[in-house]
Amino acid sequence: MSENDERTVDELLDGLPICMFTTITDEGSMRSVPMARQETDLDPQQLWFITARDTEHTQDVRARPHVSLSFSSSDTWVSLTGRAEVVDDVDKLRELWTTFAEAWLPEGPEGENSTLLRVTVDRAEYWDTPGGKVASVISLVKTKLTGDTYDARHGVVEPND
């Protein structure tokens, strides 16, 4: 595991607040829903999400905690896998609460349906095109002209190694 790759993942995630949060259903298929991660100063290997207790994805997490999180922009992609758990902690909910969360859970952090999901990351993988959109276009043109592969930084971080 490269400390540089860990730092890169942290930097890339800083600009990617929304992910597709993928769980495994009772039938064994995958279900993905958009989720906003909450900003915290905790261990970077853990991500927090505010959600409703009665959702299908929350029930999936209770039964099968392995999840995948996919973050992306026009020139950056981050894929995380890990174990999720439902955390019933009103104080933590209050700490993380946002007006965005209130749009989905109007009863607030004390509401019976409000809860948290904590994901402990097992593995992170990223692809990034340094320089943004212009560099991406240049790299695509270069690929067409030279036959070389697309110039994207790629790395894998497995914190438990």
Side-chain angles (χ1 to χ4, degrees):
M1 161 177 65
S2 160
E3 190 174 307
N4 189 40
D5 281 336
E6 276 190 59
R7 194 172 22 257
T8 298
V9 169
D10 289 342
E11 289 169 5
L12 294 175
L13 285 177
D14 191 43
L16 302 171
I18 307 292
C19 73
M20 291 305 290
F21 191 108
T22 303
T23 59
I24 301 169
T25 68
D26 288 338
E27 296 78 29
S29 62
M30 292 181 277
R31 172 188 295 119
S32 297
V33 295
M35 297 280 287
R37 67 184 174 83
Q38 304 306 306
E39 300 297 328
T40 67
D41 293 330
L42 297 176
D43 179 351
Q45 309 306 335
Q46 292 187 349
L47 301 176
W48 290 87
F49 299 87
I50 297 172
T51 193
R53 184 180 316 282
D54 64 359
T55 61
E56 291 179 19
H57 62 272
T58 301
Q59 300 311 311
D60 290 345
V61 164
R62 284 189 194 283
R64 290 161 302 283
H66 294 283
V67 297
S68 175
L69 311 176
S70 300
F71 296 84
S72 69
S73 69
S74 62
D75 56 2
T76 301
W77 305 267
V78 179
S79 175
L80 306 175
T81 57
R83 292 180 62 85
E85 64 180 306
V86 179
V87 177
D88 294 318
D89 182 337
V90 175
D91 291 335
K92 188 68 172 167
L93 261 169
R94 283 189 201 113
E95 175 189 331
L96 297 175
W97 198 257
T98 65
T99 53
F100 185 74
E102 195 154 328
W104 297 101
L105 297 159
E107 68 274 12
E110 292 84 8
E112 286 185 26
N113 202 32
S114 300
T115 194
L116 293 164
L117 295 177
R118 177 176 54 207
V119 176
T120 302
V121 176
D122 296 332
R123 186 174 198 272
E125 192 164 3
Y126 69 87
W127 299 262
D128 178 43
T129 306
K133 291 180 185 178
V134 172
S136 293
V137 170
I138 291 169
S139 187
L140 286 171
V141 170
K142 178 182 154 195
T143 299
K144 283 288 193 191
L145 294 175
T146 66
D148 289 342
T149 60
Y150 186 77
D151 290 334
R153 285 189 306 171
H154 174 252
V156 176
V157 178
E158 294 178 337
N160 296 330
D161 283 350

